[in-house]
Amino acid sequence: MTEKSKIISEIESKFIELFHHEPELYQAPGRINLIGEHTDYNDGFVLPAAIDKAIYFGVKKNKVNKLRLFSIDYKESFEISMDELEKTQVHWANYLIGVAVQFNKRGLKPEGIDCVFGGNIPLGAGLSSSAALECGFAVCLNDQFSYKIPNSELILMAQKAEHEFAGVMCGIMDQFASIFGKEGHVMKLDCRSLDYEYFPLTNNEVDVILCDTRVSHSLASSEYNVRRKECEEGVAILKKQYPEVNALRDASPEMLESVRSGMSENVYLRSHYVVHEVVRVNEACEALLKNDFVTFGQRMYATHDGLSKEYLVSCKELDILVEIARKNPDVLGARMMGGGFGGCTINLIRKGCTEPFIQEVLKEYPAQTGINPIIYRVKISDGAGRLI
Ligand code: ADP
Ligand code: MG
């Protein structure tokens, strides 16, 4: 029995035990981001993909006008009247209430619904379990009540749920990837226009491995705010000479060099990283069209160097994992993934060559840090939807 079918059968039996009717089944995946880091708030590009780790939902309308929930992973129930949907102390329930509220705000007023859910996306590891939870439930409600809201709207509703009910002012990438993911493809998302394009990256050609540092340094949120300010300063300086620059995404490397003398070293380095990261995402996509995974991987390594040496959001543990990767010629590319200061590295590996690398990481990383890493093998998969 696969992990997925085990989770689903647990959901089905729990649903029947609690609610005495049969559920309908849905899933929503977590995501990775191949390249394009810290570009979202600079109106740039990202290159995410949905993965084969997901949250699974059993849901069905009820006749009691209540949202009745059961979390398999927390082994905890929660219920609330559909007329009194508001923030609660039960952390995980807020993501689902937050989604239901977005339907209310559109005047749709969903009736009572029962939901049992659980999954295998590690929580808080940077694979966006929260977006999977929101997107999955948005898809469930949309389908159960036949609202026919387009996916492009559902992602915005899921994002709003995260802003308003989890208090996390996230960008749109995570929700976008969880809904629009497509097996064997990455998505180049323009974070300004929300236009997107699929590029092939099939599971037959490369393997993707995530290595979890298992650290999360407390600098993450304060430094994030500092970076955003530094980027704004960069834009303000560029704009004096180039009025068309409204975000770092609009600046070319040449434009940046021409205003360098008017910038502090910090603002220059942060801007340099972002401007070149936008170029790297474009180059990486071109490489995919030629099946050139070597070039693609080199851009990933270059991104890591920029994040570590110019943007200063890496940490010792992430750098160690990337150095281990660099020594193995079968690891085509590796970099820290996510905001930084901990979390996972993402590694693009020649098909079938993952095991020696994993063994190296399991030996070397603890030797250098005293911490045992966690390895996740992921496959690029479809976005959220109903299970047949
Ligand atoms: P991530 O990087 O995984 O998105 P977050 O901190 O944003 O980390 O979201 C994690 C939170 O989402 C958890 O604390 C929990 O409240 C909720 N969550 C995610 N997955 C599940 C799950 N399988 N069951 C219950 N709650 C979940
Ligand atoms: Mg999250």
Side-chain angles (χ1 to χ4, degrees), residues 96-117:
L96 303 155
I97 299 169
V99 167
V101 165
Q102 304 310 316
F103 285 85
N104 277 350
K105 283 189 177 171
R106 291 176 173 241
L108 294 167
K109 296 259 169 226
E111 297 150 37
I113 190 135
D114 295 329
C115 173
V116 175
F117 69 98

Side-chain angles (χ1 to χ4, degrees), residues 342-360:
C344 293
T345 61
I346 175 167
N347 304 268
L348 190 73
I349 304 177
R350 270 185 224 283
K351 186 77 204 165
C353 298
T354 55
E355 283 317 307
F357 172 62
I358 291 172
Q359 292 314 316
E360 281 150 26

Side-chain angles (χ1 to χ4, degrees), residues 55 71-74 91-93 95 117-131 133 162 168 174:
I55 300 184
S71 157
I72 295 274
D73 299 309
Y74 287 109
H91 189 256
W92 58 264
Y95 294 92
F117 69 98
N120 56 2
I121 309 172
L123 310 191
L127 305 187
S128 226
S129 64
S130 62
L133 194 47
E162 178 123 6
V168 179
D174 301 350

